[in-house]
Amino acid sequence: MTPMKIEAVELLRVRMPLVSPFRTSFGTQTHRDVLLVRAHTAGAEGWAECVALSDPLYSSEYASAAHRVIADHLVPRLFAAGDVTAALVAPALEPVRGHRMAKAAVETAVLDAQLKAAGVALRDHLGATQARVVSGVSVGIHDSIPQLLEGVAGYLEAGYARIKLKIEPGWDVAPVAAVRERFGDDILLQVDANSAYTRADARHLRKLDRYDLLLIEQPLDEEDVAGHAELARLLDTPICLDESIVSARAAYEAIRTGACSIVNIKPGRVGGYLEARRVHDVCAAAGVPVWAGGMLETGIGRAANLALAALPNFTLPSDISASDRYYAQDLTEPFRLSDGAIDVPTGPGIGVAPIPEILQDLLVDKELVRP
Ligand code: SMG
Ligand code: MG
């Protein structure tokens, strides 16, 4: 790959209404406040979506902070680095501490531009081996069990291959039991606590063991990796980490200490697709299966996630659902579910770009950063 000159970087803020509210242990989303990054180069333009949410509740990063750190700290360092390839972006941004979601968006925009200019698909660049990605769906906390069952029934009818229930204290064993009772033992089922429990809840969480769950995702605080190791010794249900896995090194340590036996990979959380591939490789070497997480991405983020999720050690169903799971109108051509899976884009780069009129309609703010 030949290094390219980044002529300008544009930050676009888009407000996307969700088809229905999505409630987790940390809050309810009714809109997605999306931050897009567009890298202008002579050869091609590159697009990326920053996964940070509106509020610092899933992670310390949030969209407006990511916007500022990209414009004020990351892009100036990118310009100072001169001509770059995507592989040179992380080293150039390395002096800035943290802000992985912001860094991931910058690196991905450069990667997309570079691959579009070279006519190479992201999935080929990453070494993907699968043409389709098995699609699961993340189901929010509902006001009542009957409402939850109705929601799950709809997703199963649509063909989703796996159900993930969001849980929190007071909404855990009962909804899991109800879903098993209604839909049987054959459906693939897992839960995600978004760190809503403490080590003192181990006895309670043991009650989930009888429901044959694929995994329990991030029961404890993101910094409590040792607590997850302790919990893993007490539960039969495999522990999967999400929030705690911020790098390939963190994945290595979590696996080595027995804190998890499955890893959720979100490129934004680990600083980009190149580090995400390293997380994949570390897990593969340790015999730990991985699966692709989701951050309610528009088609821009979804396309890139599909390319990564097509790597060989992504063996559990993903959280990459169809566009219409969240959006009546996606920013790109919609991703659709067929036979419980979604096709991986084959075009150059991430394989998609925003539809200009739709982007224009939903745009709330933009900033152009020049050298
Ligand atoms: O993209 O379908 C999606 C969201 C999947 O549950 C999901 N993501 O912790 O894994 C997770 C959550 C984080 C975002 S919740 C607003
Ligand atoms: Mg999660």
Side-chain angles (χ1 to χ4, degrees), residues 237-272:
T237 306
I239 291 186
C240 169
L241 290 177
D242 172 358
E243 286 89 328
S244 298
I245 306 299
V246 296
S247 63
R249 181 193 288 155
Y252 175 81
E253 287 300 328
I255 293 166
R256 190 182 64 77
T257 57
C260 66
S261 52
I262 299 174
V263 169
N264 164 316
I265 301 187
K266 292 177 181 168
R269 197 192 60 223
V270 304

Side-chain angles (χ1 to χ4, degrees), residues 58 164 166 192-194 217-218 241-243 264 266 269 291 294 319:
Y58 164 84
K164 160 167 137 180
K166 289 291 193 177
D192 184 1
N194 288 111
E217 183 179 345
Q218 197 71 40
L241 290 177
D242 172 358
E243 286 89 328
N264 164 316
K266 292 177 181 168
R269 197 192 60 223
W291 57 284
D319 261 356

Side-chain angles (χ1 to χ4, degrees), residues 22 24 26 29 53 58 138 164 166 192 194 217 242-243 264 266 294-297 302 319 321 326:
F22 183 52
T24 66
F26 60 80
Q29 323 282 309
L53 300 175
Y58 164 84
S138 177
K164 160 167 137 180
K166 289 291 193 177
D192 184 1
N194 288 111
E217 183 179 345
D242 172 358
E243 286 89 328
N264 164 316
K266 292 177 181 168
M295 291 294 288
L296 300 89
E297 287 90 347
R302 213 161 280 268
D319 261 356
S321 36
Y326 292 110

